[in-house]
Amino acid sequence: MVGGECVDDTPVHKAIREALANCLINADYHGVRGVVIRKEEEKIIFANPGYVRTGKKQMRLGGESAPRNKSLMKMFNLINIGERAGSGVPKKATKKRIAASID
């Protein structure tokens, strides 16, 4: 709320949208398990089936993009969600209220 008016697009809202898009774009939909989103007291955990295609170390560093579902990525890009830069995890890591679950 700002001056009694609801603000719908805060940095936290944007980070949650980006995390959800990243989770869906990189999910392996051919497996048994589905996408899981869990809200805890201090964080939201996004988990998807499949392995990290760039490797965990590179994923944490950022700068390399290897989306599993390119059509979903394009769809999100058309509505200005996602950057297609491989910077999602490092950016989310700076948000204390959002956590990425990495198996």
Side-chain angles (χ1 to χ4, degrees):
M1 299 281 284
V2 174
E5 191 173 316
C6 182
V7 177
D8 291 336
D9 200 22
T10 68
V12 172
H13 286 106
K14 183 174 181 177
I16 291 171
R17 281 195 302 273
E18 296 284 333
L20 177 60
N22 189 51
C23 185
L24 296 173
I25 289 166
N26 292 295
D28 180 356
Y29 294 104
H30 298 288
V32 178
R33 189 177 74 117
V35 171
V36 177
I37 302 166
R38 190 172 72 235
K39 184 179 183 303
E40 295 183 358
E41 190 173 325
E42 294 290 324
K43 61 186 172 184
I44 300 173
I45 298 172
F46 297 87
N48 60 13
Y51 64 94
V52 179
R53 291 172 59 150
T54 61
K56 290 180 185 178
K57 183 177 180 181
Q58 181 61 48
M59 178 189 67
R60 289 183 184 105
L61 292 171
E64 188 175 321
S65 179
R68 186 172 271 117
N69 301 293
K70 291 181 182 178
S71 295
L72 274 177
M73 184 179 70
K74 184 174 182 178
M75 179 193 74
F76 281 116
N77 286 155
L78 289 171
I79 57 172
N80 295 320
I81 297 176
E83 297 178 349
R84 198 177 179 171
S87 62
V89 171
K91 279 189 174 184
K92 285 189 292 286
T94 64
K95 303 291 183 187
K96 291 182 181 179
R97 297 174 66 185
I98 297 172
S101 176
I102 304 166
D103 297 332

